[in-house]
Amino acid sequence: MNHSSRPTRRTLRAVGVTCSVFALALSAGCAGDSSQGSGGKTVIRFNWWGSDSRHEMTKQMIAVFEKEHPDIDVQPEYSNWDDYWKKLSTSAAAGDMPDVLQITDPFMYSYIDNGQLMDLKKVKDVLNTDKLPANSMAMTTVKGGLYGVPAGDSAFGIAVDPEAFKKAGVRVPDDTKWSWDDYVKTATAIARSKSGLVGSEMPLYPNMVGPWLRQHGEDYWTEDGSEIGFTEQTMAAYWEWVVKLRDSGGTNTPEAAVEALSAGAGIEQNLVAQHKAAMTEMSVTQLGALEGASGRATKLLLFPGEEGATQVGAYTKPGVFYGASARTEHPKEAAELLDFLINSPEAGKIGKFDRGVPVNPDVLKAITPDLSATEKRIADYLGRINALKPTALHLPNAKAGPAVPEIFQRLNEDVLFDRLSPQEAAEKFISEIKSQL
């Protein structure tokens, strides 16, 4: 998922419906619309979603690629998140997908299952993946094939405002040792100070659930994605922790949190960005927007609970991948563009961390001198996680995966407003996911 912005409940629901419809669509029609352009150039289409700044950076990257490959003409196609998936599902059903495209989990698995994405191992003589870590490609390695390459790694964590902690007279926790109870105690201590701050944003997203499950020796899915990989007891325990945090008074109220979510508030409206809270969970690729809005440097902390956990809960993963249409008429040229996007220092210097931290170490080394202080904090944080040697995430289920975020957010709100107990929500969470399998 694009980690530069949070999808709303409406968006998650719309994407889930789109993917469900797509999963039922039959491949039909002609091959992707790529051809010979003027002057004998090979024309390939490249499609992505993102912000205006991403669009401009990507077009600059294309210009450099075309200069290096004067026989290839790349036609850019881009849109916002909502429109991207609607257009892609329509073009996929018509057999008219772009030659090269931006993809993400869990939505990409329907396209993989339906044979819409190229197995990139078929172009390994052009696309060099030797420098890419296995964990970064685990999400797109399916049944022996490789269906995407990572545009950049990302991670989730806790962003804290040291100035807010200082104002509240509370010490920033040692994230190598703090527990989930310590998180509640810290949030409560800040809220009870005379600072006028709340300790933490109310957690509304499933970002904390993954580390929680992994620390308990579980995961969202079994390793091959065929079945649910967690128990009711572990999920109920997570929601019991959420209730404990809510009742501590250390967060904003459920009403305020849900109202902001429904209004589509972005990271710039986060309470930490507004100097109203000291802690928030987030995708680290949002750090630049958070610090830009707040005007303050933050510190990234690991999620609590790592000390003494059954296994490492933290993980890094690509937020965005690049793939190619299985029907492209120009697999070699598509592979050349993919190779450039992930392996070219020139592309890395333009895109920097917009799609995550480059996973090719040579590219990261080349751009490091040009990184901002914020970007260096992101890179250092991912380095800390990787030093823990986390296992790769298990593959999401192709059919049920896209529905999980919306199901979670709805049930999470039911818990926050006492419409369901943690145990009831956990039972319902599993039953609703199973209904999608």
Side-chain angles (χ1 to χ4, degrees), residues 167-412:
K167 183 178 180 181
V170 177
R171 294 179 63 181
V172 175
D174 177 351
D175 65 348
T176 66
K177 298 180 179 178
W178 70 334
S179 66
W180 292 90
D181 281 345
D182 289 334
Y183 187 97
V184 175
K185 291 174 183 176
T186 302
T188 304
I190 292 169
R192 290 178 179 174
S193 70
K194 297 179 181 180
S195 63
L197 300 164
V198 295
S200 168
E201 278 264 21
M202 180 71 74
L204 297 179
Y205 303 94
N207 304 340
M208 292 176 123
V209 180
W212 176 281
L213 296 177
R214 286 161 60 88
Q215 287 175 6
H216 289 79
E218 301 175 11
D219 207 318
Y220 275 113
W221 308 100
T222 54
E223 192 167 359
D224 64 355
S226 62
E227 300 289 343
I228 294 170
F230 63 92
T231 62
E232 287 180 6
Q233 292 80 1
T234 303
M235 193 66 223
Y238 171 78
W239 268 316
E240 288 167 2
W241 175 81
V242 170
V243 170
K244 186 175 183 179
L245 179 63
R246 178 201 66 185
D247 292 347
S248 74
T251 70
N252 52 332
T253 65
E255 291 82 2
V258 172
E259 182 180 355
L261 176 66
S262 300
I267 195 67
E268 294 83 2
Q269 287 76 48
N270 184 283
L271 295 185
V272 171
Q274 297 178 345
H275 305 162
K276 295 178 181 178
M279 300 187 292
T280 185
E281 55 83 17
M282 61 181 290
S283 165
V284 299
T285 53
Q286 296 176 304
L287 194 65
L290 180 76
E291 293 188 348
S294 71
R296 295 179 181 175
T298 60
K299 183 176 182 180
L300 286 169
L301 303 184
L302 297 169
F303 282 121
E306 293 292 2
E307 186 178 49
T310 301
Q311 66 176 4
V312 176
Y315 57 87
T316 61
K317 66 173 290 293
V320 175
F321 299 87
Y322 296 119
S325 169
R327 290 171 171 252
T328 179
E329 296 174 347
H330 304 289
K332 176 179 177 292
E333 289 80 2
E336 287 177 327
L337 178 56
L338 291 172
D339 187 78
F340 170 81
L341 291 170
I342 62 169
N343 292 323
S344 167
E346 287 74 21
K349 289 176 181 177
I350 296 170
K352 296 179 82 173
F353 286 8
D354 178 68
R355 291 178 171 93
V357 177
V359 299
N360 184 324
D362 293 343
V363 174
L364 181 57
K365 182 179 179 180
I367 70 173
T368 295
D370 299 324
L371 296 180
S372 67
T374 299
E375 290 163 338
K376 288 178 180 176
R377 281 194 288 276
I378 294 172
D380 290 345
Y381 180 75
L382 264 66
R384 289 188 62 207
I385 292 178
N386 287 328
L388 298 175
K389 301 187 183 305
T391 57
L393 287 174
H394 292 172
L395 292 177
N397 182 272
K399 294 181 180 178
V404 170
E406 189 277 333
I407 296 172
F408 172 84
Q409 285 187 212
R410 174 165 42 80
L411 295 177
N412 192 62

Side-chain angles (χ1 to χ4, degrees), residues 139-163:
M139 303 293 290
T140 49
T141 302
V142 180
K143 296 179 181 178
L146 178 66
Y147 297 94
V149 286
D153 266 352
S154 184
F156 294 102
I158 306 296
V160 303
D161 179 357
E163 288 192 35

Side-chain angles (χ1 to χ4, degrees), residues 80-127:
N80 61 38
W81 169 266
D82 280 353
D83 291 342
Y84 180 87
W85 293 102
K86 294 173 185 175
K87 292 176 182 176
L88 186 61
S89 64
T90 300
S91 63
D96 188 34
M97 285 175 64
D99 301 273
V100 176
L101 64 157
Q102 192 171 281
I103 53 177
T104 192
D105 64 288
F107 312 114
M108 62 190 177
Y109 295 110
S110 292
Y111 295 81
I112 294 172
D113 275 8
N114 285 316
Q116 307 284 22
L117 293 180
M118 181 198 300
D119 180 357
L120 300 178
K121 290 185 177 181
K122 295 179 180 179
V123 289
K124 63 182 180 180
D125 57 327
V126 179
L127 175 58

